[in-house]
Amino acid sequence: MFLNETHLQVRDMARNFAESVIRPAAERLDREERFPTEIYEQMAGLGLFGIGVPETLGGPGFDTITYAVVMEELARGYSSVADQCGLVELICTLLVRHGTAEQKTLIADVLSMKKKVAYCITEPEAGTDVSGIRTTATPDGSGWTLNGGKIRIHNAPVADLGFVLARTDKEAGNRGMSIFIVDLHAKGVSRGPKEHKMGQRASQVGALTFTDVKLDAGSLLGEQGRGFHMMMSVLDKGRVGIAALATGITQAGLEAAVDYATQRKQFGKSISEFQGVQWLLADMAKDIEAARLLVLSAASKIDRGEDATKSCSIAKCFAGDMAVQRTSDAVQVFGGSGYIRGFEVERLYRDAKICQIYEGTNQIQRMIIARELLKKGARA
């Protein structure tokens, strides 16, 4: 219904890579909390970054459905790796839509992983509430001076370029924010220590501090004062990506649970013969299928140019909640073994939790869904 021959070919390529390269390394990467440069270089060679970047700018030029399919397959291998794919897609989408000709030349280095990127929004007083941002960019005649700090920024410990949301007009609210492309090796930029996370541990996060960082006029991405709106414009695609990632995590959990249930014996027979275990597996399978269809439906709306906000929030909210519940069920199938570090389902359970939080918490998704219903009606 949703997947054509191209989608299937890309899916199979991503699946084979995840199975042969990513999944075997996942436990070790989780333990070491290491940025897997060697895996990302291979992904770059296969064209698994910047799925939607037009061919004229060096990308494969695929649609949002392809992006969702790739995100699910990579997450089946290890969601930290899929996270990097999602980050690159978001940054490249901003550059494609809003970058100058010179700024778009950065895309080649981002896709090849020669330049690692960070999307720098979150602050101590600005998480879900982006309006709380206090980082400022002040005109200084020849350009801008950047001051402030960001926390829990994906790739902060390793990134070369930061796409920083900052206030350029303190009195203009959401219309007073702009996005700047910042060299994170520049004078005045400092990095905090790498945070040690509950899950997705090879996806590194940390703090960034900007102290009188000098930016030239060409560092402004898009129009001054449009940063908040530019950021919001990529959220639908971002939420589809996270929903697909959550689905991939849970698919890996189901596969592990089915394999274990057929091998583990209790009371003289395989535990897969017990109805209680069968129902756990059945609930996992039906919810994964539902999440996958929600993801593909939302992605297809984006590709058709339709208003997809409600559908994307529904997909992200459902898939995130589903991932936490159903990876918990996978742990349950494993019993005590599922609670032990080193078993895949233990990691998958930890990895799933963030899917309810990032790219807008699931409480925010419910607010968006309700807002869209009340604004456009239940049939919209």
Side-chain angles (χ1 to χ4, degrees), residues 238-278:
R239 286 165 180 161
V240 164
I242 297 306
L245 179 149
T247 305
I249 291 173
T250 320
Q251 178 66 36
L254 175 61
E255 292 167 11
V258 168
D259 287 346
Y260 187 80
T262 57
Q263 296 169 19
R264 173 69 167 166
K265 295 186 182 298
Q266 291 286 276
F267 304 101
K269 57 183 179 181
S270 166
I271 65 171
S272 64
E273 297 181 47
F274 292 102
Q275 187 180 67
V277 172
Q278 291 176 357

Side-chain angles (χ1 to χ4, degrees), residues 292-350:
R292 184 177 291 122
L293 290 171
L294 285 170
V295 168
L296 294 175
S297 176
S300 69
K301 287 186 178 181
I302 293 175
D303 289 334
R304 293 195 301 268
E306 299 177 10
D307 182 356
T309 295
K310 183 179 72 174
S311 294
C312 293
S313 287
I314 288 173
K316 193 271 182 186
C317 188
F318 181 86
D321 288 346
M322 180 275 299
V324 173
Q325 176 60 56
R326 298 313 176 195
T327 54
S328 173
D329 289 345
V331 171
Q332 194 71 20
V333 171
F334 275 70
S337 295
Y339 201 65
I340 302 300
R341 189 66 63 90
F343 281 84
E344 185 180 30
V345 293
E346 183 272 340
R347 174 180 56 79
L348 294 170
Y349 187 30
R350 289 186 286 109

Side-chain angles (χ1 to χ4, degrees), residues 148-159:
K150 304 290 183 177
I151 61 170
R152 296 192 290 274
I153 301 302
H154 189 179
N155 273 6
V158 297

Side-chain angles (χ1 to χ4, degrees), residues 128 239 313 359-369:
T128 298
R239 286 165 180 161
S313 287
E359 212 70 27
T361 67
N362 279 7
Q363 286 70 35
I364 289 294
Q365 302 313 314
R366 287 173 168 85
M367 291 172 62
I368 293 170
I369 294 163

Side-chain angles (χ1 to χ4, degrees), residues 25 28-41 43 49 78 80-81 83-85 87-88 110 112-118 153-160 191 194 197 200-205:
R28 174 173 49 82
L29 291 174
D30 176 74
R31 183 177 65 252
E32 297 174 354
E33 303 182 41
R34 183 176 64 80
F35 187 87
T37 302
E38 71 285 358
I39 290 178
Y40 296 143
E41 289 175 348
M43 288 171 58
F49 286 121
Y78 185 24
S80 283
V81 173
D83 240 2
Q84 192 71 207
C85 179
L87 174 62
V88 170
V110 174
S112 66
M113 292 301 289
K114 291 179 181 177
K115 294 287 187 182
K116 296 179 284 294
V117 293
I153 301 302
H154 189 179
N155 273 6
V158 297
D160 303 297
R191 307 174 198 243
K194 178 178 69 177
K197 300 185 296 175
Q200 297 192 17
R201 289 155 59 88
S203 173
Q204 298 190 0
V205 303

